[in-house]
Amino acid sequence: MADSSRVDFWEQRYREGVTPWEGASLPEPARVLFASLPPSTVLLPGCGSAGDMPPLLALGHQVLAVDFSAAAIARARHQWPAAADSLLLGDFFQLELPAFDCVFERAFLCALPREMRGQYAERVAGLVKPGGLLAGVFFLGEGERGPPFGMAENALQALLNPWFALEQALPLQDGLPVFSGRECWMVWKRRGLDLDQALKA
């Protein structure tokens, strides 16, 4: 079975143009949220071709979009040459990064093998400032095959609750076919606990 934690898995798909998770526009609830925020630092992990980056930059935010696939970053730089300085090639789980006001989730958690979900939650919690946000599009629902690997909403709650409180959840009606109408816009607020306190909670 192909391992979606490996860079070559994604390199092949971007080189061959097999990227059905690409092409969505920034959802309207995201536009409303980010238009309401003061200029903020926003991290896009597993950004792919970074289609959400330009509208976030246009709203006045400072964005860093990260992917470990060189082919994905090359596509993003080709599509958004004016924003090339906002793109970074590297492994989200290994990079030394500062804390951000917001981490924007889009087709990254569901791209990871299930056994990496705990690592994702801890890493994101460590990168969002207390009171900051984890906001984005989550793929809900369960199935054996993937990616994308969906997860039940109660499982997502259990994964994130040690660090985040759910502020908003809105099903998206106009998502991409690969996600079978099971995308949900969610906003999670970072609790004011450090990682050690959260793990003991």
Side-chain angles (χ1 to χ4, degrees), residues 22-28 30-31 51-52 55 104 106 137 172 174-176:
E22 296 274 5
S25 59
L26 190 69
E28 184 58 27
R31 293 184 183 275
D52 294 306
F104 186 90
R106 167 83 87 158
V137 180
L172 294 185
D174 55 352
L176 296 173

Side-chain angles (χ1 to χ4, degrees), residues 89-134:
L89 176 63
D91 186 338
F92 168 72
F93 294 101
Q94 302 296 329
L95 286 168
E96 290 189 17
L97 296 168
F100 290 79
D101 298 313
C102 178
V103 168
F104 186 90
E105 163 62 35
R106 167 83 87 158
F108 182 51
L109 175 58
C110 68
L112 297 171
R114 292 180 178 88
E115 59 270 20
M116 292 187 68
R117 288 173 176 171
Q119 188 179 353
Y120 167 94
E122 287 193 29
R123 177 65 167 156
V124 169
L127 288 171
V128 177
K129 298 174 183 177
L133 302 176
L134 166 61

